[in-house]
Amino acid sequence: MTDTANPLRMLIVEDSEDDALLLLRELRKGGIEPYHELVDSEERLSNALSREKWDIVITDHNMPGFSSFRVLELAEKYCVDLPVIIVSGTIGEGVAVKAMKAGAQDYIMKDNLSRLIPAIDREVREGSVRRAKRLAETTLEHMAYHDSLTDLVNRREFERRLIHALEDTHATDSQHVLLYLDLDQFKIINDTCGHIAGDHLLKQIAALLSHHIRSDDTLARLGGDEFGILLRGCNEFHAQKVADKLCDEVSDYRFVWQNKPFSISLSIGMVLVNRNYTSAGELLSHADLACYAAKDRGRNNVQIYKSNDVEMRQRQSDMRWTSRIQQALQSDSFCLWQQDMVPLQPDSVDGYRTEFLIRLEEGGHLIPPGAFIPAAERFNLMTKVDRKVIELAFQYLDRSGLGRKNTGTFFINLSGSSFNEPELFLFIRQMAERYQLKPERVCFEITETSAIANLNATQRFIHNAKQSGFKFALDDFGAGMSSFSYLKALPVDYLKVDGGFVRNLLDDPIDLGIVDACNRIAHAAGLKTVAEFVENDDVKARLVELGLDYAQGFGISRPRPLD
């Protein structure tokens, strides 16, 4: 039947107009009124195939200057899934078989056109299926190598092209440059306006960046708010100009969401692709390091990776630590030690006090926290480490029974970043209930500088903790510029005087005065004081005279394993 809205589009290749009319008359008898075009030469055939889309080709076999085999070649060239049926009065069976092998879907003799309509119906239907399948395959292939949100090349494909660029450099000494881009304000926009706004921003930035790179270059979304650019055949000078231009363009751009404008900027790490590199992973790692260096140095700038840069080498060391920390968290390689505190005044003898200290066991060696804590802080792993410390401490207090006694205080350090985690206090309360511990046996510590940097979050956390019965200590007190002014805002139970002042109080009258002042003000506020870094009996004796409540340090008790 004829579909008047979408008529069959038929290309007829025939040098005899009479034969073409016979063919069309046969189709009309069967209810098919095709849109058609008649061509009788290779040139006109090529023009018709390149100019329009066709549903089927009906071709004679022998024509002046070319045959159905050439028709098959041209049909495959212009549309690989276009069905071709040969209608001929002279084609032999051997030639017909050869034509079928060459790609013809069917062959029909001109004196048996009754087979034509069923063959056309079948081949148009199967051709449509083949095209749909090929489209699906093409779409899947595109999805495998492109980012679904921005339609840029994805990380997998970018790494493949980076490998090719590296191979080219080793083979020909060609110059290529890798840029690693990170959006500086993405998290703020994503958190305040939602993920839909974040997705719109990423798509707009992708389009903006695309306008400023050459066709031979590759722009990719590597994940989250990170992009990569491979500048092929490019030296350091030109790459720096490109990177600076990208920073300027993004800095000048204003993202508007719900009538609110947002300023954004780029931090870019740059690596020269040279023979010193052997893998794409190493190139990306160094570009990532340089990008972080750009962030550390004020954002909205470009930093080139240099192996002799002290900060980059430190960050590289920290990045290696991140995988080791994550592995330790999964394999339960963290353990706790403890360091006791002793009372200095007769009225302070009211139970056992000790501080839990984290250690990492790796390959039979014990690694102190100073080796891995900076990396955990820099790469946002401290909340996971803190949770592990809480879990280990609570398990010990349950196992030993100390967490259910009527006396004793056990100090647990928390990082400043953990106070910004809304679920942390719920986790602490659930753990205490699971192990049936008395909250008043636990005292959480936070350093003064971390508390001040996260003042509102710290206040909320302390309020919730104290309502549930937990205690709180302010560690390293005196190290801040405005220590005393913040003391009223933080309702803690203990004040731990910074060990840097305690260590030298016998020789430095200023340090002595600071320790004395911290102690007096703490007592005026109803707090107990702990002196850190007490390394000998002379310092301990002077602290007794000053009236501090407790002492902690190597001169009092060295750290030791639990149990």
Side-chain angles (χ1 to χ4, degrees), residues 389-410:
V389 170
I390 292 166
E391 182 182 358
L392 292 173
F394 282 19
Q395 287 174 350
Y396 169 75
L397 293 175
D398 171 52
R399 186 171 66 248
S400 65
L402 294 171
R404 287 182 288 274
K405 291 187 178 296
N406 293 324
T407 60
T409 307
F410 300 88

PDB file of all heavy atoms in Angstrom, residues 389-410:
ATOM      1  N   VAL A 389      39.337   5.770  64.060  1.00  0.00           N
ATOM      2  CA  VAL A 389      39.862   5.968  65.419  1.00  0.00           C
ATOM      3  C   VAL A 389      38.739   5.808  66.447  1.00  0.00           C
ATOM      4  O   VAL A 389      38.911   5.140  67.476  1.00  0.00           O
ATOM      5  CB  VAL A 389      40.528   7.353  65.546  1.00  0.00           C
ATOM      6  CG1 VAL A 389      40.857   7.655  67.007  1.00  0.00           C
ATOM      7  CG2 VAL A 389      41.789   7.416  64.706  1.00  0.00           C
ATOM      8  N   ILE A 390      37.597   6.422  66.183  1.00  0.00           N
ATOM      9  CA  ILE A 390      36.458   6.311  67.101  1.00  0.00           C
ATOM     10  C   ILE A 390      36.037   4.851  67.250  1.00  0.00           C
ATOM     11  O   ILE A 390      35.802   4.356  68.364  1.00  0.00           O
ATOM     12  CB  ILE A 390      35.283   7.175  66.590  1.00  0.00           C
ATOM     13  CG1 ILE A 390      35.637   8.656  66.677  1.00  0.00           C
ATOM     14  CG2 ILE A 390      34.009   6.894  67.395  1.00  0.00           C
ATOM     15  CD1 ILE A 390      34.695   9.554  65.901  1.00  0.00           C
ATOM     16  N   GLU A 391      35.963   4.160  66.121  1.00  0.00           N
ATOM     17  CA  GLU A 391      35.553   2.752  66.160  1.00  0.00           C
ATOM     18  C   GLU A 391      36.537   1.918  66.976  1.00  0.00           C
ATOM     19  O   GLU A 391      36.136   1.124  67.847  1.00  0.00           O
ATOM     20  CB  GLU A 391      35.462   2.211  64.728  1.00  0.00           C
ATOM     21  CG  GLU A 391      35.005   0.772  64.647  1.00  0.00           C
ATOM     22  CD  GLU A 391      34.967   0.255  63.216  1.00  0.00           C
ATOM     23  OE1 GLU A 391      35.268   1.035  62.286  1.00  0.00           O
ATOM     24  OE2 GLU A 391      34.650  -0.932  63.033  1.00  0.00           O
ATOM     25  N   LEU A 392      37.847   2.085  66.734  1.00  0.00           N
ATOM     26  CA  LEU A 392      38.861   1.318  67.468  1.00  0.00           C
ATOM     27  C   LEU A 392      38.848   1.667  68.950  1.00  0.00           C
ATOM     28  O   LEU A 392      38.977   0.782  69.810  1.00  0.00           O
ATOM     29  CB  LEU A 392      40.246   1.590  66.867  1.00  0.00           C
ATOM     30  CG  LEU A 392      40.499   1.046  65.455  1.00  0.00           C
ATOM     31  CD1 LEU A 392      41.843   1.550  64.934  1.00  0.00           C
ATOM     32  CD2 LEU A 392      40.463  -0.470  65.444  1.00  0.00           C
ATOM     33  N   ALA A 393      38.697   2.959  69.271  1.00  0.00           N
ATOM     34  CA  ALA A 393      38.686   3.391  70.670  1.00  0.00           C
ATOM     35  C   ALA A 393      37.475   2.826  71.415  1.00  0.00           C
ATOM     36  O   ALA A 393      37.608   2.312  72.542  1.00  0.00           O
ATOM     37  CB  ALA A 393      38.688   4.912  70.742  1.00  0.00           C
ATOM     38  N   PHE A 394      36.314   2.895  70.780  1.00  0.00           N
ATOM     39  CA  PHE A 394      35.099   2.400  71.431  1.00  0.00           C
ATOM     40  C   PHE A 394      35.153   0.885  71.591  1.00  0.00           C
ATOM     41  O   PHE A 394      34.674   0.335  72.593  1.00  0.00           O
ATOM     42  CB  PHE A 394      33.864   2.812  70.637  1.00  0.00           C
ATOM     43  CG  PHE A 394      33.455   4.255  70.855  1.00  0.00           C
ATOM     44  CD1 PHE A 394      34.350   5.188  71.368  1.00  0.00           C
ATOM     45  CD2 PHE A 394      32.170   4.692  70.554  1.00  0.00           C
ATOM     46  CE1 PHE A 394      33.977   6.505  71.571  1.00  0.00           C
ATOM     47  CE2 PHE A 394      31.790   6.006  70.763  1.00  0.00           C
ATOM     48  CZ  PHE A 394      32.696   6.919  71.269  1.00  0.00           C
ATOM     49  N   GLN A 395      35.731   0.186  70.615  1.00  0.00           N
ATOM     50  CA  GLN A 395      35.886  -1.263  70.737  1.00  0.00           C
ATOM     51  C   GLN A 395      36.786  -1.605  71.929  1.00  0.00           C
ATOM     52  O   GLN A 395      36.508  -2.551  72.685  1.00  0.00           O
ATOM     53  CB  GLN A 395      36.469  -1.843  69.449  1.00  0.00           C
ATOM     54  CG  GLN A 395      35.483  -1.887  68.289  1.00  0.00           C
ATOM     55  CD  GLN A 395      36.127  -2.321  66.989  1.00  0.00           C
ATOM     56  OE1 GLN A 395      37.360  -2.419  66.881  1.00  0.00           O
ATOM     57  NE2 GLN A 395      35.304  -2.576  65.973  1.00  0.00           N
ATOM     58  N   TYR A 396      37.861  -0.838  72.108  1.00  0.00           N
ATOM     59  CA  TYR A 396      38.770  -1.068  73.228  1.00  0.00           C
ATOM     60  C   TYR A 396      38.074  -0.785  74.559  1.00  0.00           C
ATOM     61  O   TYR A 396      38.208  -1.566  75.525  1.00  0.00           O
ATOM     62  CB  TYR A 396      40.018  -0.190  73.102  1.00  0.00           C
ATOM     63  CG  TYR A 396      40.872  -0.177  74.342  1.00  0.00           C
ATOM     64  CD1 TYR A 396      41.667  -1.271  74.672  1.00  0.00           C
ATOM     65  CD2 TYR A 396      40.877   0.923  75.205  1.00  0.00           C
ATOM     66  CE1 TYR A 396      42.456  -1.275  75.813  1.00  0.00           C
ATOM     67  CE2 TYR A 396      41.646   0.933  76.344  1.00  0.00           C
ATOM     68  CZ  TYR A 396      42.429  -0.174  76.651  1.00  0.00           C
ATOM     69  OH  TYR A 396      43.190  -0.178  77.795  1.00  0.00           O
ATOM     70  N   LEU A 397      37.342   0.317  74.636  1.00  0.00           N
ATOM     71  CA  LEU A 397      36.643   0.655  75.879  1.00  0.00           C
ATOM     72  C   LEU A 397      35.581  -0.387  76.207  1.00  0.00           C
ATOM     73  O   LEU A 397      35.305  -0.656  77.391  1.00  0.00           O
ATOM     74  CB  LEU A 397      36.001   2.037  75.758  1.00  0.00           C
ATOM     75  CG  LEU A 397      36.976   3.207  75.649  1.00  0.00           C
ATOM     76  CD1 LEU A 397      36.229   4.516  75.417  1.00  0.00           C
ATOM     77  CD2 LEU A 397      37.853   3.312  76.897  1.00  0.00           C
ATOM     78  N   ASP A 398      35.009  -1.008  75.192  1.00  0.00           N
ATOM     79  CA  ASP A 398      34.059  -2.093  75.418  1.00  0.00           C
ATOM     80  C   ASP A 398      34.790  -3.362  75.855  1.00  0.00           C
ATOM     81  O   ASP A 398      34.415  -4.005  76.844  1.00  0.00           O
ATOM     82  CB  ASP A 398      33.275  -2.348  74.133  1.00  0.00           C
ATOM     83  CG  ASP A 398      32.424  -3.604  74.208  1.00  0.00           C
ATOM     84  OD1 ASP A 398      31.648  -3.739  75.177  1.00  0.00           O
ATOM     85  OD2 ASP A 398      32.538  -4.456  73.299  1.00  0.00           O
ATOM     86  N   ARG A 399      35.856  -3.707  75.140  1.00  0.00           N
ATOM     87  CA  ARG A 399      36.600  -4.939  75.406  1.00  0.00           C
ATOM     88  C   ARG A 399      37.220  -4.940  76.799  1.00  0.00           C
ATOM     89  O   ARG A 399      37.213  -5.945  77.509  1.00  0.00           O
ATOM     90  CB  ARG A 399      37.673  -5.090  74.325  1.00  0.00           C
ATOM     91  CG  ARG A 399      38.448  -6.384  74.349  1.00  0.00           C
ATOM     92  CD  ARG A 399      39.320  -6.518  73.116  1.00  0.00           C
ATOM     93  NE  ARG A 399      40.388  -5.528  73.062  1.00  0.00           N
ATOM     94  CZ  ARG A 399      40.453  -4.537  72.180  1.00  0.00           C
ATOM     95  NH1 ARG A 399      39.473  -4.368  71.299  1.00  0.00           N
ATOM     96  NH2 ARG A 399      41.472  -3.698  72.178  1.00  0.00           N
ATOM     97  N   SER A 400      37.744  -3.781  77.173  1.00  0.00           N
ATOM     98  CA  SER A 400      38.407  -3.671  78.482  1.00  0.00           C
ATOM     99  C   SER A 400      37.427  -3.403  79.625  1.00  0.00           C
ATOM    100  O   SER A 400      37.773  -3.551  80.803  1.00  0.00           O
ATOM    101  CB  SER A 400      39.438  -2.545  78.438  1.00  0.00           C
ATOM    102  OG  SER A 400      38.791  -1.289  78.246  1.00  0.00           O
ATOM    103  N   GLY A 401      36.228  -2.977  79.282  1.00  0.00           N
ATOM    104  CA  GLY A 401      35.247  -2.612  80.297  1.00  0.00           C
ATOM    105  C   GLY A 401      35.447  -1.217  80.860  1.00  0.00           C
ATOM    106  O   GLY A 401      34.633  -0.745  81.668  1.00  0.00           O
ATOM    107  N   LEU A 402      36.506  -0.524  80.430  1.00  0.00           N
ATOM    108  CA  LEU A 402      36.805   0.807  80.974  1.00  0.00           C
ATOM    109  C   LEU A 402      35.740   1.831  80.602  1.00  0.00           C
ATOM    110  O   LEU A 402      35.555   2.825  81.312  1.00  0.00           O
ATOM    111  CB  LEU A 402      38.175   1.278  80.473  1.00  0.00           C
ATOM    112  CG  LEU A 402      39.385   0.469  80.969  1.00  0.00           C
ATOM    113  CD1 LEU A 402      40.651   0.884  80.235  1.00  0.00           C
ATOM    114  CD2 LEU A 402      39.560   0.645  82.477  1.00  0.00           C
ATOM    115  N   GLY A 403      35.054   1.584  79.486  1.00  0.00           N
ATOM    116  CA  GLY A 403      34.039   2.527  79.045  1.00  0.00           C
ATOM    117  C   GLY A 403      32.747   2.461  79.843  1.00  0.00           C
ATOM    118  O   GLY A 403      31.862   3.291  79.624  1.00  0.00           O
ATOM    119  N   ARG A 404      32.666   1.504  80.759  1.00  0.00           N
ATOM    120  CA  ARG A 404      31.461   1.395  81.581  1.00  0.00           C
ATOM    121  C   ARG A 404      31.739   1.649  83.066  1.00  0.00           C
ATOM    122  O   ARG A 404      30.852   1.488  83.905  1.00  0.00           O
ATOM    123  CB  ARG A 404      30.834   0.012  81.386  1.00  0.00           C
ATOM    124  CG  ARG A 404      30.157  -0.150  80.026  1.00  0.00           C
ATOM    125  CD  ARG A 404      29.509  -1.504  79.856  1.00  0.00           C
ATOM    126  NE  ARG A 404      30.511  -2.556  79.683  1.00  0.00           N
ATOM    127  CZ  ARG A 404      31.045  -2.885  78.513  1.00  0.00           C
ATOM    128  NH1 ARG A 404      30.699  -2.240  77.419  1.00  0.00           N
ATOM    129  NH2 ARG A 404      31.945  -3.844  78.436  1.00  0.00           N
ATOM    130  N   LYS A 405      32.973   2.013  83.386  1.00  0.00           N
ATOM    131  CA  LYS A 405      33.331   2.305  84.782  1.00  0.00           C
ATOM    132  C   LYS A 405      32.852   3.708  85.165  1.00  0.00           C
ATOM    133  O   LYS A 405      32.476   4.515  84.326  1.00  0.00           O
ATOM    134  CB  LYS A 405      34.834   2.166  84.975  1.00  0.00           C
ATOM    135  CG  LYS A 405      35.336   0.719  84.865  1.00  0.00           C
ATOM    136  CD  LYS A 405      36.793   0.611  85.227  1.00  0.00           C
ATOM    137  CE  LYS A 405      37.271  -0.839  85.161  1.00  0.00           C
ATOM    138  NZ  LYS A 405      36.591  -1.708  86.152  1.00  0.00           N
ATOM    139  N   ASN A 406      32.921   3.991  86.457  1.00  0.00           N
ATOM    140  CA  ASN A 406      32.436   5.285  86.965  1.00  0.00           C
ATOM    141  C   ASN A 406      33.510   6.364  86.957  1.00  0.00           C
ATOM    142  O   ASN A 406      33.200   7.531  87.212  1.00  0.00           O
ATOM    143  CB  ASN A 406      31.885   5.111  88.383  1.00  0.00           C
ATOM    144  CG  ASN A 406      30.633   4.250  88.392  1.00  0.00           C
ATOM    145  OD1 ASN A 406      29.828   4.319  87.479  1.00  0.00           O
ATOM    146  ND2 ASN A 406      30.485   3.423  89.432  1.00  0.00           N
ATOM    147  N   THR A 407      34.752   6.002  86.710  1.00  0.00           N
ATOM    148  CA  THR A 407      35.831   6.986  86.644  1.00  0.00           C
ATOM    149  C   THR A 407      36.687   6.722  85.411  1.00  0.00           C
ATOM    150  O   THR A 407      36.619   5.648  84.810  1.00  0.00           O
ATOM    151  CB  THR A 407      36.736   6.921  87.897  1.00  0.00           C
ATOM    152  OG1 THR A 407      37.320   5.598  87.988  1.00  0.00           O
ATOM    153  CG2 THR A 407      35.951   7.244  89.164  1.00  0.00           C
ATOM    154  N   GLY A 408      37.528   7.725  85.094  1.00  0.00           N
ATOM    155  CA  GLY A 408      38.421   7.601  83.945  1.00  0.00           C
ATOM    156  C   GLY A 408      37.963   8.465  82.785  1.00  0.00           C
ATOM    157  O   GLY A 408      36.762   8.641  82.570  1.00  0.00           O
ATOM    158  N   THR A 409      38.923   9.026  82.079  1.00  0.00           N
ATOM    159  CA  THR A 409      38.623   9.850  80.906  1.00  0.00           C
ATOM    160  C   THR A 409      39.570   9.447  79.788  1.00  0.00           C
ATOM    161  O   THR A 409      40.795   9.372  79.991  1.00  0.00           O
ATOM    162  CB  THR A 409      38.774  11.344  81.207  1.00  0.00           C
ATOM    163  OG1 THR A 409      37.996  11.672  82.352  1.00  0.00           O
ATOM    164  CG2 THR A 409      38.317  12.180  80.028  1.00  0.00           C
ATOM    165  N   PHE A 410      39.013   9.217  78.608  1.00  0.00           N
ATOM    166  CA  PHE A 410      39.795   8.738  77.472  1.00  0.00           C
ATOM    167  C   PHE A 410      39.649   9.742  76.325  1.00  0.00           C
ATOM    168  O   PHE A 410      38.551   9.990  75.838  1.00  0.00           O
ATOM    169  CB  PHE A 410      39.315   7.341  77.059  1.00  0.00           C
ATOM    170  CG  PHE A 410      39.458   6.342  78.167  1.00  0.00           C
ATOM    171  CD1 PHE A 410      38.436   6.172  79.091  1.00  0.00           C
ATOM    172  CD2 PHE A 410      40.630   5.620  78.310  1.00  0.00           C
ATOM    173  CE1 PHE A 410      38.574   5.280  80.141  1.00  0.00           C
ATOM    174  CE2 PHE A 410      40.771   4.717  79.354  1.00  0.00           C
ATOM    175  CZ  PHE A 410      39.757   4.549  80.287  1.00  0.00           C
TER     176      PHE A 410
END
